[in-house]
PDB file of all heavy atoms in Angstrom:
ATOM      1  N   ALA A 263     -18.917   3.330  -5.053  1.00  0.00           N
ATOM      2  CA  ALA A 263     -17.978   2.827  -4.049  1.00  0.00           C
ATOM      3  C   ALA A 263     -16.679   3.616  -4.086  1.00  0.00           C
ATOM      4  O   ALA A 263     -16.295   4.166  -5.123  1.00  0.00           O
ATOM      5  CB  ALA A 263     -17.693   1.350  -4.284  1.00  0.00           C
ATOM      6  N   LEU A 264     -15.988   3.663  -2.949  1.00  0.00           N
ATOM      7  CA  LEU A 264     -14.717   4.380  -2.821  1.00  0.00           C
ATOM      8  C   LEU A 264     -13.612   3.399  -2.435  1.00  0.00           C
ATOM      9  O   LEU A 264     -13.748   2.657  -1.465  1.00  0.00           O
ATOM     10  CB  LEU A 264     -14.833   5.466  -1.751  1.00  0.00           C
ATOM     11  CG  LEU A 264     -13.542   6.167  -1.323  1.00  0.00           C
ATOM     12  CD1 LEU A 264     -12.955   6.976  -2.482  1.00  0.00           C
ATOM     13  CD2 LEU A 264     -13.800   7.078  -0.115  1.00  0.00           C
ATOM     14  N   THR A 265     -12.516   3.422  -3.212  1.00  0.00           N
ATOM     15  CA  THR A 265     -11.345   2.607  -2.887  1.00  0.00           C
ATOM     16  C   THR A 265     -10.163   3.531  -2.601  1.00  0.00           C
ATOM     17  O   THR A 265      -9.854   4.413  -3.407  1.00  0.00           O
ATOM     18  CB  THR A 265     -10.991   1.664  -4.048  1.00  0.00           C
ATOM     19  OG1 THR A 265     -12.057   0.730  -4.228  1.00  0.00           O
ATOM     20  CG2 THR A 265      -9.718   0.888  -3.746  1.00  0.00           C
ATOM     21  N   VAL A 266      -9.520   3.326  -1.467  1.00  0.00           N
ATOM     22  CA  VAL A 266      -8.385   4.153  -1.048  1.00  0.00           C
ATOM     23  C   VAL A 266      -7.111   3.315  -1.139  1.00  0.00           C
ATOM     24  O   VAL A 266      -7.090   2.158  -0.728  1.00  0.00           O
ATOM     25  CB  VAL A 266      -8.599   4.691   0.380  1.00  0.00           C
ATOM     26  CG1 VAL A 266      -7.392   5.491   0.851  1.00  0.00           C
ATOM     27  CG2 VAL A 266      -9.854   5.566   0.407  1.00  0.00           C
ATOM     28  N   LEU A 267      -6.058   3.914  -1.680  1.00  0.00           N
ATOM     29  CA  LEU A 267      -4.781   3.234  -1.913  1.00  0.00           C
ATOM     30  C   LEU A 267      -3.696   3.945  -1.114  1.00  0.00           C
ATOM     31  O   LEU A 267      -2.922   4.747  -1.648  1.00  0.00           O
ATOM     32  CB  LEU A 267      -4.427   3.240  -3.402  1.00  0.00           C
ATOM     33  CG  LEU A 267      -5.361   2.565  -4.422  1.00  0.00           C
ATOM     34  CD1 LEU A 267      -5.805   1.191  -3.951  1.00  0.00           C
ATOM     35  CD2 LEU A 267      -6.522   3.407  -4.850  1.00  0.00           C
ATOM     36  N   PRO A 268      -3.600   3.696   0.184  1.00  0.00           N
ATOM     37  CA  PRO A 268      -2.755   4.521   1.058  1.00  0.00           C
ATOM     38  C   PRO A 268      -1.271   4.504   0.722  1.00  0.00           C
ATOM     39  O   PRO A 268      -0.599   5.534   0.829  1.00  0.00           O
ATOM     40  CB  PRO A 268      -3.017   3.957   2.459  1.00  0.00           C
ATOM     41  CG  PRO A 268      -3.588   2.594   2.245  1.00  0.00           C
ATOM     42  CD  PRO A 268      -4.345   2.674   0.967  1.00  0.00           C
ATOM     43  N   ALA A 269      -0.709   3.362   0.331  1.00  0.00           N
ATOM     44  CA  ALA A 269       0.736   3.307   0.064  1.00  0.00           C
ATOM     45  C   ALA A 269       1.113   4.218  -1.100  1.00  0.00           C
ATOM     46  O   ALA A 269       2.063   5.005  -1.020  1.00  0.00           O
ATOM     47  CB  ALA A 269       1.165   1.865  -0.223  1.00  0.00           C
ATOM     48  N   THR A 270       0.362   4.135  -2.198  1.00  0.00           N
ATOM     49  CA  THR A 270       0.640   4.963  -3.367  1.00  0.00           C
ATOM     50  C   THR A 270       0.339   6.429  -3.087  1.00  0.00           C
ATOM     51  O   THR A 270       1.119   7.321  -3.455  1.00  0.00           O
ATOM     52  CB  THR A 270      -0.186   4.483  -4.569  1.00  0.00           C
ATOM     53  OG1 THR A 270       0.165   3.136  -4.862  1.00  0.00           O
ATOM     54  CG2 THR A 270       0.063   5.347  -5.790  1.00  0.00           C
ATOM     55  N   ASP A 271      -0.794   6.691  -2.450  1.00  0.00           N
ATOM     56  CA  ASP A 271      -1.195   8.081  -2.216  1.00  0.00           C
ATOM     57  C   ASP A 271      -0.211   8.795  -1.296  1.00  0.00           C
ATOM     58  O   ASP A 271       0.137   9.958  -1.525  1.00  0.00           O
ATOM     59  CB  ASP A 271      -2.615   8.111  -1.639  1.00  0.00           C
ATOM     60  CG  ASP A 271      -3.639   7.513  -2.597  1.00  0.00           C
ATOM     61  OD1 ASP A 271      -3.292   7.328  -3.780  1.00  0.00           O
ATOM     62  OD2 ASP A 271      -4.760   7.216  -2.169  1.00  0.00           O
ATOM     63  N   LEU A 272       0.274   8.106  -0.286  1.00  0.00           N
ATOM     64  CA  LEU A 272       1.280   8.696   0.603  1.00  0.00           C
ATOM     65  C   LEU A 272       2.586   8.972  -0.136  1.00  0.00           C
ATOM     66  O   LEU A 272       3.249   9.983   0.095  1.00  0.00           O
ATOM     67  CB  LEU A 272       1.558   7.767   1.780  1.00  0.00           C
ATOM     68  CG  LEU A 272       0.537   7.747   2.913  1.00  0.00           C
ATOM     69  CD1 LEU A 272       0.807   6.557   3.825  1.00  0.00           C
ATOM     70  CD2 LEU A 272       0.573   9.037   3.708  1.00  0.00           C
ATOM     71  N   PHE A 273       2.945   8.075  -1.036  1.00  0.00           N
ATOM     72  CA  PHE A 273       4.214   8.217  -1.752  1.00  0.00           C
ATOM     73  C   PHE A 273       4.185   9.359  -2.763  1.00  0.00           C
ATOM     74  O   PHE A 273       5.175  10.092  -2.913  1.00  0.00           O
ATOM     75  CB  PHE A 273       4.561   6.902  -2.454  1.00  0.00           C
ATOM     76  CG  PHE A 273       5.858   6.959  -3.208  1.00  0.00           C
ATOM     77  CD1 PHE A 273       7.065   6.997  -2.530  1.00  0.00           C
ATOM     78  CD2 PHE A 273       5.874   6.993  -4.589  1.00  0.00           C
ATOM     79  CE1 PHE A 273       8.268   7.062  -3.221  1.00  0.00           C
ATOM     80  CE2 PHE A 273       7.066   7.060  -5.291  1.00  0.00           C
ATOM     81  CZ  PHE A 273       8.270   7.097  -4.606  1.00  0.00           C
ATOM     82  N   LEU A 274       3.063   9.545  -3.441  1.00  0.00           N
ATOM     83  CA  LEU A 274       3.012  10.508  -4.540  1.00  0.00           C
ATOM     84  C   LEU A 274       2.499  11.892  -4.152  1.00  0.00           C
ATOM     85  O   LEU A 274       2.895  12.889  -4.773  1.00  0.00           O
ATOM     86  CB  LEU A 274       2.133   9.957  -5.669  1.00  0.00           C
ATOM     87  CG  LEU A 274       2.655   8.716  -6.395  1.00  0.00           C
ATOM     88  CD1 LEU A 274       1.640   8.255  -7.433  1.00  0.00           C
ATOM     89  CD2 LEU A 274       3.992   8.991  -7.058  1.00  0.00           C
ATOM     90  N   MET A 275       1.644  11.980  -3.166  1.00  0.00           N
ATOM     91  CA  MET A 275       1.030  13.273  -2.849  1.00  0.00           C
ATOM     92  C   MET A 275       1.958  14.168  -2.025  1.00  0.00           C
ATOM     93  O   MET A 275       2.818  13.693  -1.295  1.00  0.00           O
ATOM     94  CB  MET A 275      -0.288  13.065  -2.100  1.00  0.00           C
ATOM     95  CG  MET A 275      -1.396  12.419  -2.944  1.00  0.00           C
ATOM     96  SD  MET A 275      -1.919  13.430  -4.360  1.00  0.00           S
ATOM     97  CE  MET A 275      -0.984  12.680  -5.687  1.00  0.00           C
ATOM     98  N   GLY A 276       1.742  15.478  -2.140  1.00  0.00           N
ATOM     99  CA  GLY A 276       2.468  16.453  -1.334  1.00  0.00           C
ATOM    100  C   GLY A 276       3.921  16.628  -1.726  1.00  0.00           C
ATOM    101  O   GLY A 276       4.731  17.111  -0.921  1.00  0.00           O
ATOM    102  N   ARG A 277       4.288  16.277  -2.944  1.00  0.00           N
ATOM    103  CA  ARG A 277       5.684  16.333  -3.362  1.00  0.00           C
ATOM    104  C   ARG A 277       6.227  17.766  -3.428  1.00  0.00           C
ATOM    105  O   ARG A 277       7.431  17.978  -3.390  1.00  0.00           O
ATOM    106  CB  ARG A 277       5.836  15.673  -4.732  1.00  0.00           C
ATOM    107  CG  ARG A 277       5.805  14.156  -4.662  1.00  0.00           C
ATOM    108  CD  ARG A 277       7.089  13.623  -4.069  1.00  0.00           C
ATOM    109  NE  ARG A 277       7.074  12.173  -3.879  1.00  0.00           N
ATOM    110  CZ  ARG A 277       8.160  11.464  -3.666  1.00  0.00           C
ATOM    111  NH1 ARG A 277       9.350  12.049  -3.613  1.00  0.00           N
ATOM    112  NH2 ARG A 277       8.076  10.165  -3.483  1.00  0.00           N
ATOM    113  N   GLY A 278       5.351  18.753  -3.524  1.00  0.00           N
ATOM    114  CA  GLY A 278       5.822  20.127  -3.620  1.00  0.00           C
ATOM    115  C   GLY A 278       6.073  20.792  -2.276  1.00  0.00           C
ATOM    116  O   GLY A 278       6.482  21.955  -2.211  1.00  0.00           O
ATOM    117  N   GLU A 279       5.846  20.064  -1.184  1.00  0.00           N
ATOM    118  CA  GLU A 279       5.985  20.645   0.150  1.00  0.00           C
ATOM    119  C   GLU A 279       7.300  20.206   0.799  1.00  0.00           C
ATOM    120  O   GLU A 279       7.758  19.087   0.575  1.00  0.00           O
ATOM    121  CB  GLU A 279       4.815  20.204   1.040  1.00  0.00           C
ATOM    122  CG  GLU A 279       3.443  20.473   0.450  1.00  0.00           C
ATOM    123  CD  GLU A 279       3.164  21.949   0.257  1.00  0.00           C
ATOM    124  OE1 GLU A 279       3.706  22.759   1.029  1.00  0.00           O
ATOM    125  OE2 GLU A 279       2.396  22.287  -0.671  1.00  0.00           O
ATOM    126  N   ASP A 280       7.894  21.100   1.615  1.00  0.00           N
ATOM    127  CA  ASP A 280       9.106  20.716   2.332  1.00  0.00           C
ATOM    128  C   ASP A 280       8.892  20.644   3.842  1.00  0.00           C
ATOM    129  O   ASP A 280       9.813  20.341   4.597  1.00  0.00           O
ATOM    130  CB  ASP A 280      10.262  21.672   2.008  1.00  0.00           C
ATOM    131  CG  ASP A 280       9.974  23.111   2.423  1.00  0.00           C
ATOM    132  OD1 ASP A 280       8.940  23.348   3.083  1.00  0.00           O
ATOM    133  OD2 ASP A 280      10.783  23.993   2.083  1.00  0.00           O
TER     134      ASP A 280
END
Side-chain angles (χ1 to χ4, degrees):
L264 171 65
T265 295
V266 177
L267 299 314
T270 300
D271 298 346
L272 282 167
F273 180 71
L274 294 177
M275 293 297 98
R277 283 287 175 164
E279 307 297 330
D280 62 7

